[in-house]
Amino acid sequence: MMRITLNGDQLNFSINYRVPEKFWNSKLSKASKGYEGYRELNRYLQDLEFRAFDAFSTLEREEEEFTLSNIRDLMNGVGVGSVRYIGDLWDEQIEDVRSRVGKNLAYATYQRYLTSRKHFTSFLIDTYNTRNLRVSKLQKHHLESYYSYLIREKEVGHNHAIKHLQIFKTLVIKAIDNGWLKSNPYLRFPLSKHPVERDFLSMDEIQRISELNLTIPRLKKVRDLFLFACFTGLAFIDVQTLKRSEILKSPDGTWWIKTLRQKTKIRSTIPLLELPLSIINKHANLEEMLPEEKIFNVSSNQKVNSYLKEIADLSRIHKNLTFHIARHTFATTVTLQHGVPIESVSKMLGHTNIKTTQHYAKVLDSKLKEDMAKLKF
């Protein structure tokens, strides 16, 4: 129960939570550590207290007379402009994203929203000593302070800070569309990212990994998966979920991967070269597999990236080797450097436009020299 007292009068009402009595600290009016979910409940209780004081301040400023029921109603977004709070928008947006995972969004997107909400809540606590903020009070200076906080306190780079601000913008647009926020704080607030040089491997580096004498089974397996991605362009999640039904053989004997990307649900169509086909045959028996069986048994991205660091050390490759570098390598070294048109590369990567492909692809000096050599004057 929650009790509000005003001028000697009291109003008690349920907050629709139950806690076993032994886990309730009556002196502090909060749940104790032994109760599962005590952190979430105690945060909710803090939020209710904030809403009560905020509702009281609003009514005191805008109404000549008001009652305890008015305070309770305003806490719940009823009356005096239907007050909405940033925390509510986060809850609704995260639930919407969660419900779309596996349909038109990847689980990683849901994780990014959770991380972004955590950062924004920390920002409010550390900067304004509050867990919440009225949507109608949101202004451009909050965004500027949030950006500075991410750079300074969370130690993220400019581009990562911009990603968090882009996520938060989805909440702001919703607030504007529903009339909860009258002006757009993102006007004249730049969200441009700095250009990034993406790492990729040369053919020599690919060869060194391929010829590496490995005796540890987990490293051999990760090496196979990485090389497979280097010659197919598939992202980690697409390699992890690749099924037998997505490996097809055309009448002329060519093997193909035809799959929907987990991230975007855009179709990728990739002819299989000899090396990736041999890796498939090494790890799976295509003739005996059921259509929905997965080609590879893949552990987590975190573990795979950890093993790739070991492979990079053994191969004397001084780059931050991650699985995603394989996708850049496919776009740059394996395809564009060997004359494959960027339109074809884009289709194999499952991109909707060439601009996206250009983020991965680079024109190498050797390719420029080769192209210029064709000119005759």
Side-chain angles (χ1 to χ4, degrees):
M1 302 292 292
M2 181 173 185
R3 173 182 295 158
I4 303 176
T5 303
L6 177 66
N7 298 329
D9 296 327
Q10 294 181 346
L11 176 67
N12 301 306
F13 55 93
S14 174
I15 65 168
N16 298 316
Y17 262 94
R18 289 183 178 271
V19 183
E21 188 176 355
K22 65 179 180 179
F23 294 127
W24 181 251
N25 188 325
S26 57
K27 290 183 179 180
L28 299 177
S29 293
K30 61 191 293 186
S32 55
K33 287 186 178 181
Y35 174 64
E36 184 179 0
Y38 78 96
R39 288 192 180 91
E40 291 78 9
L41 174 55
N42 290 339
R43 281 197 291 264
Y44 178 63
L45 296 177
Q46 286 181 332
D47 186 50
L48 285 177
E49 185 177 341
F50 165 82
R51 290 178 185 231
F53 281 110
D54 188 52
F56 169 75
S57 299
T58 300
L59 289 165
E60 190 176 43
R61 183 177 61 254
E62 300 181 9
E63 302 292 325
E64 290 185 10
E65 294 183 2
F66 58 91
T67 66
L68 287 165
S69 295
N70 295 141
I71 295 176
R72 179 196 59 198
D73 292 343
L74 191 54
M75 287 173 61
N76 295 321
V78 179
V80 193
S82 296
V83 174
R84 296 282 300 198
Y85 294 89
I86 296 295
D88 295 330
L89 299 188
W90 273 116
D91 289 341
E92 293 165 8
Q93 188 67 27
I94 286 174
E95 176 56 28
D96 176 64
V97 172
R98 187 200 63 77
S99 67
R100 293 160 57 191
V101 170
K103 299 172 184 175
N104 63 345
L105 290 177
Y107 182 73
T109 301
Y110 174 60
Q111 290 179 308
R112 280 195 292 272
Y113 270 80
L114 290 176
T115 300
S116 201
R117 193 227 169 108
K118 183 179 178 182
H119 286 341
F120 191 82
T121 302
S122 298
F123 158 68
L124 289 180
I125 292 171
D126 295 345
T127 308
Y128 301 105
N129 195 30
T130 182
R131 297 191 59 82
N132 219 330
L133 183 71
R134 268 218 262 163
V135 173
S136 59
K137 290 184 177 180
L138 188 64
Q139 297 180 34
K140 181 183 175 184
H141 74 82
H142 291 113
L143 305 180
E144 293 169 338
S145 296
Y146 183 36
Y147 171 82
S148 299
Y149 177 83
L150 289 168
I151 299 292
R152 184 184 65 254
E153 300 298 331
K154 296 303 178 181
E155 297 182 345
V156 304
H158 168 79
N159 286 359
H160 276 88
I162 292 300
K163 283 183 180 179
H164 287 300
L165 281 157
Q166 287 173 334
I167 287 175
F168 186 64
K169 188 177 181 180
T170 61
L171 279 66
V172 172
I173 296 302
K174 179 178 181 179
I176 294 171
D177 290 344
N178 284 277
W180 304 322
L181 185 60
K182 293 183 178 179
S183 60
N184 187 352
Y186 277 90
L187 289 176
R188 296 178 299 281
F189 186 88
L191 288 175
S192 56
K193 295 179 181 178
H194 296 158
V196 177
E197 280 296 319
R198 302 178 185 273
D199 269 338
F200 61 93
L201 298 185
S202 66
M203 286 304 297
D204 175 67
E205 290 168 326
I206 295 173
Q207 193 71 22
R208 275 159 36 199
I209 290 176
S210 178
E211 294 176 352
L212 196 61
N213 183 22
L214 297 174
T215 57
I216 303 174
R218 60 179 173 83
L219 294 185
K220 293 170 71 174
K221 181 178 181 180
V222 168
R223 190 251 308 272
D224 284 351
L225 297 175
F226 182 76
L227 290 175
F228 178 80
C230 282
F231 287 89
T232 61
L234 291 180
F236 175 82
I237 186 64
D238 298 315
V239 173
Q240 190 179 46
T241 58
L242 187 64
K243 296 179 294 188
R244 172 63 183 91
S245 60
E246 296 167 326
I247 310 295
L248 305 172
K249 188 176 184 181
S250 61
D252 66 359
T254 303
W255 285 92
W256 297 79
I257 293 177
K258 296 189 178 183
T259 181
L260 292 179
R261 290 198 61 208
Q262 291 292 315
K263 180 178 180 180
T264 61
K265 300 304 177 185
I266 302 297
R267 180 165 294 280
S268 288
T269 303
I270 309 157
L272 277 169
L273 299 172
E274 184 177 341
L275 176 61
L277 182 58
S278 69
I279 292 173
I280 287 177
N281 289 328
K282 179 179 177 181
H283 291 267
N285 187 334
L286 296 180
E287 292 184 2
E288 296 182 2
M289 292 181 71
L290 297 173
E292 295 304 305
E293 282 190 80
K294 292 181 180 179
I295 298 295
F296 303 109
N297 180 18
V298 187
S299 55
S300 70
N301 196 7
Q302 184 179 10
K303 281 187 177 181
V304 168
N305 283 336
S306 174
Y307 299 156
L308 283 173
K309 301 291 186 293
E310 295 182 53
I311 291 172
D313 290 340
L314 294 170
S315 305
R316 303 183 311 282
I317 294 174
H318 305 295
K319 292 176 180 176
N320 181 26
L321 196 61
T322 65
F323 201 89
H324 202 61
I325 282 183
R327 191 162 164 85
H328 302 308
T329 300
F330 174 78
T332 306
T333 307
V334 174
T335 55
L336 287 175
Q337 188 179 12
H338 289 87
V340 178
I342 195 168
E343 293 82 4
S344 298
V345 177
S346 183
K347 185 173 179 61
M348 287 187 283
L349 290 174
H351 290 160
T352 55
N353 58 66
I354 299 298
K355 285 185 178 180
T356 307
T357 313
Q358 288 170 340
H359 289 301
Y360 290 88
K362 301 166 185 65
V363 180
L364 305 182
D365 289 345
S366 58
K367 186 69 169 62
L368 288 173
K369 179 181 177 181
E370 180 184 324
D371 291 343
M372 289 301 290
K374 298 175 183 177
L375 294 178
K376 300 292 183 181
F377 291 102

